Amino acid sequence: MMGFILFLFQISLNCVQAADFPICSSVIFNENPTFKLTADEVQLVCGDPLATDVSSRAWVEPSPLQVEMSLKAMFQVRGYHRATFQLQDHILRVSLGKPTIITAIYLQPPQPELDIGRKREVIGEKLTPAKLDELKEWLRQELKHLAYPCPHVE
């Protein structure tokens, strides 16, 4: 009797649940992402069954660790920094989490003559590399206007 119950439990873990969103047979999102992966991203995550030469054979079926690293990079570009990953029976289950939102900007060291509050469309936006680059360039321009000829912004 006990063996039968454990067997049913294991089967229920292997089944795709109604709320799951499979990307391919080895990667399943636990919730519906608000974005679509590009065809190249899907190929990077799911593998390339057409890879035939010796140098690209590793991409026929990428390892779960490689898939996790690739997905983390793809998510960070879209502002998701808290994704979690769980490997279950050779299936990588991905929980995207909530996007990271910019709530405040602090300058180190503080520049009293620079009013960071003038920068629009930052607070409340997703934290992405593109948004950081935009903010960095805005700060560089503002510092130039304040007579800093070659400002270094990090």
Side-chain angles (χ1 to χ4, degrees):
M1 182 72 168
M2 185 61 130
F4 182 69
I5 293 171
L6 290 176
F7 180 72
L8 286 178
F9 179 70
Q10 185 174 4
I11 288 177
S12 69
L13 288 178
N14 292 338
C15 293
V16 175
Q17 299 167 0
D20 289 343
F21 297 88
I23 301 302
C24 55
S25 61
S26 60
V27 180
I28 297 175
F29 282 13
N30 290 340
E31 65 267 351
N32 191 9
T34 57
F35 57 85
K36 296 279 186 204
L37 295 177
T38 66
D40 290 335
E41 290 171 331
V42 170
Q43 186 175 14
L44 187 63
V45 168
C46 297
D48 182 8
L50 302 177
T52 55
D53 63 337
V54 175
S55 64
S56 63
R57 225 177 267 153
W59 291 106
V60 171
E61 191 176 324
S63 72
L65 184 58
Q66 181 65 45
V67 171
E68 182 177 332
M69 289 174 48
S70 297
L71 283 171
K72 280 182 181 180
M74 293 172 201
F75 295 161
Q76 288 173 359
V77 167
R78 293 168 170 95
Y80 292 86
H81 298 269
R82 295 185 206 112
T84 58
F85 301 86
Q86 183 181 19
L87 188 60
Q88 253 180 7
D89 297 324
H90 304 290
I91 295 174
L92 188 64
R93 291 185 136 323
V94 182
S95 182
L96 196 55
K98 294 185 179 182
T100 303
I101 304 297
I102 301 170
T103 58
I105 302 170
Y106 301 99
L107 297 178
Q108 293 296 329
Q111 300 290 323
E113 66 272 10
L114 182 59
D115 182 14
I116 196 74
R118 287 187 34 235
K119 177 63 178 139
R120 297 179 185 180
E121 298 177 0
V122 175
I123 304 298
E125 296 287 322
K126 289 181 185 175
L127 178 63
T128 64
K131 188 53 76 175
L132 288 175
D133 289 344
E134 175 190 320
L135 182 59
K136 191 175 184 180
E137 185 56 35
W138 181 85
L139 284 169
R140 208 178 269 130
Q141 291 301 319
E142 289 297 307
L143 288 169
K144 283 181 181 181
H145 289 296
L146 293 172
Y148 291 92
C150 300
H152 181 70
V153 179
E154 290 184 335

